[in-house]
Amino acid sequence: GDKLRQNRKQAEDLSSSEHPSWVVDALQYADDVLSGDIVAGEYIKSACRRFLSDLKRQGNPSFPYVFDIESAARPCRFISELPHVAGIWAKRGETIRLEPWQSFILCNLLGWIVDRDLIDDESGSISTYAGSRRFRNAYVEVARKNAKSTLAAGIALYLLVADGVEGAEVYSAATTRKQAQIVWRTAKRMADKCAPLRRRFSINTGAHCISSAENGGIFEALHAQGETLDGLNIHGAVIDELHAHKTREVYDVIETACGSREQPLLFNITTAGFNRAGICFEVRNYSTKILSEVLRDEQFFCAIYTLDEGDDIFDEKVWPKANPNYGVSVLPFDMRALARKAAETPASENNF
C-alpha cells in the first residue's frame, strides 16, 4: 500500500547517507523470506508478515503505532560502530557488520513508536505515551553460534547510554553468575576496546559494573534468586538462555521491575530447550500464539529461528532455518561434522 511505499522511500533515502541502510536490509529481509529467496521456518515467515502487515496498518485508529526510520536506524548505527571482541573479526580489528536478520530484529524491536498522546489499556488506565517505544518484551530463539551474545551485548549498551534515558538501569540476568556474565563481559570488552564510545558517554568499566557519568546509568550482571532482586528499577534487561531457568522467579521479578519506566525493554534470548514446565516454554508458547495469530499482543516482539515440523535434521538445506548466521558465524564444515557425529551417535542427536 501507499504507507509501505512511503516507508520504502524513506528507507531508500537513508541509504544515501554515509551509513549502510539497515532499514532497507530489514525490509528486504522480510521480502526475501516471504518470497523464498531466504530459507526460513514458518515462525520467521510469520514474523515477517507481521512486520509488513503492521507497516500497512499505520494510520489506522485501532493501531496507534508508527515505524520511525531514525528510531530504527539509530541502534543499528550504534551497534555497527562497536568492535568485535572474539574470533577472526576481533583479530582483524573489525567492527560489527549487522546481518539482514539482525537488522530485521533491531529495526522491529526499536523502530516502532507510539504515535498518539496516550494508549488506554483494557482497564482504562494510561499505559503508554506518544514517542515511547512500542515493544516492551521480546523473545528471540536461535541456535548456538549465531552471535546472539554479541547482539544482546550491543542492545544492552545502547539501552545504557544511547536511548535518551537518565539513570538507565540495565541488567544481564541468568541462572548462574557465569551465564549472566557472558553478555555483560562481552559488552565490557566492547567498551574497553572502543575509546570513542567511552569518551562520548563518559563510560567507566569496573570489575562488576559498566557505568556512564553522562546519564548516571549502570549495567550489571544479575544471577541471584528472584526474591533477592526486589527494588530494581529496570530500563533494560537481557535474560540470556531463558531455557535454563528452572523457575520463574527471576523472570517475574525483572518483568515487574520494568513497570515504572516509560519505555522499558525485557529482551529474552535463548537457544532451544527441553523443559516444557519452565518459564521459557511458557514464553515461547505465548510467542507462537502471537506468530500464529491466535492472540494479539502489540507490545510483544518474537522471532523463533527453528526447523519446521517434519523437517529432516540431517538435511543441510533446512539448517539455515535455525541458523540465520549460517555461512557467517555458523560454519557449514563444523555443522556437517556435528551432523555426522549425531547420525552415528544417538546420544548426540538431541544436542545436534
Side-chain angles (χ1 to χ4, degrees), residues 4-318:
L4 179 57
R5 285 191 288 273
Q6 178 183 345
N7 275 272
R8 286 189 179 282
K9 179 62 168 60
Q10 288 177 289
E12 289 165 1
D13 290 343
L14 180 64
S15 67
S16 65
S17 73
E18 62 181 7
H19 300 287
S21 182
W22 309 278
V23 177
V24 170
D25 286 347
L27 290 166
Q28 190 63 53
Y29 177 80
D31 282 344
D32 289 346
V33 164
L34 294 177
S35 69
D37 290 340
I38 290 178
V39 177
E42 290 302 318
Y43 287 136
I44 294 303
K45 291 177 182 178
S46 295
C48 291
R49 279 192 292 268
R50 183 189 190 191
F51 176 45
L52 297 180
S53 174
D54 285 351
L55 289 175
K56 296 177 183 179
R57 295 170 66 199
Q58 294 176 103
N60 189 317
S62 66
F63 185 73
Y65 305 102
V66 62
F67 184 70
D68 183 73
I69 297 297
E70 181 53 31
S71 294
R74 191 182 305 117
C76 297
R77 183 181 302 117
F78 177 89
I79 292 174
S80 293
E81 294 176 357
L82 296 174
H84 277 286
V85 297
I88 187 65
W89 298 293
K91 186 176 181 180
R92 294 171 180 167
E94 295 183 14
T95 55
I96 294 169
R97 181 175 68 85
L98 292 170
E99 296 298 317
W101 71 277
Q102 294 169 320
S103 295
F104 174 78
I105 289 174
L106 287 168
C107 288
N108 269 277
L109 194 58
L110 301 170
W112 287 98
I113 61 174
V114 178
D115 71 347
R116 291 187 187 179
D117 289 337
L118 58 88
I119 299 175
D120 291 342
D121 61 22
E122 291 181 356
S123 64
S125 63
I126 296 174
S127 59
T128 315
Y129 292 90
S132 63
R133 195 160 38 241
R134 169 190 175 184
F135 289 115
R136 307 306 177 91
N137 205 324
Y139 177 83
V140 176
E141 179 182 305
V142 65
R144 298 172 187 170
K145 305 302 181 183
N146 281 273
K148 67 181 181 63
S149 295
T150 298
L151 181 63
I155 290 174
L157 283 174
Y158 176 82
L159 294 174
L160 172 65
V161 297
D163 204 25
V165 173
E166 290 295 317
E169 291 184 23
V170 181
Y171 298 96
S172 171
T175 55
T176 65
R177 177 188 293 272
K178 183 177 180 181
Q179 187 66 51
Q181 287 185 331
I182 290 176
V183 170
W184 182 87
R185 189 181 297 111
T186 300
K188 180 182 185 301
R189 293 181 66 191
M190 287 176 174
D192 285 339
K193 291 184 65 175
C194 190
L197 176 71
R198 296 197 308 277
R199 289 195 299 267
R200 168 63 181 83
F201 298 104
S202 301
I203 290 176
N204 177 63
T205 57
H208 304 289
C209 178
I210 303 171
S211 61
S212 168
E214 180 175 280
N215 69 356
I218 61 168
F219 177 27
E220 298 178 350
L222 295 178
H223 62 92
Q225 295 300 315
E227 60 267 24
T228 68
L229 302 179
D230 293 333
L232 299 176
N233 184 14
I234 296 175
H235 171 61
V238 174
I239 298 186
D240 193 18
E241 296 297 12
L242 185 63
H243 77 88
H245 288 241
K246 294 180 174 61
T247 66
R248 60 179 304 124
E249 282 83 1
V250 171
Y251 180 91
D252 285 346
V253 170
I254 289 177
E255 185 178 40
T256 55
C258 294
S260 61
R261 293 284 187 170
E262 182 179 334
Q263 53 174 19
L265 177 62
L266 173 52
F267 184 63
N268 302 283
I269 189 162
T270 186
T271 54
F274 301 101
N275 182 11
R276 290 177 172 261
I279 180 61
C280 185
F281 185 73
E282 178 184 323
V283 177
R284 187 188 198 275
N285 190 47
Y286 189 79
S287 299
T288 61
K289 289 180 178 179
I290 293 173
L291 294 173
S292 302
E293 300 184 10
V294 173
L295 62 82
R296 176 169 288 175
D297 186 335
E298 302 288 16
Q299 294 184 307
F300 195 106
F301 174 78
C302 34
I304 300 176
Y305 288 90
T306 186
L307 271 60
D308 293 316
E309 192 74 26
D311 281 341
D312 178 3
I313 65 170
F314 297 111
D315 181 0
E316 187 172 343
K317 294 192 296 292
V318 303

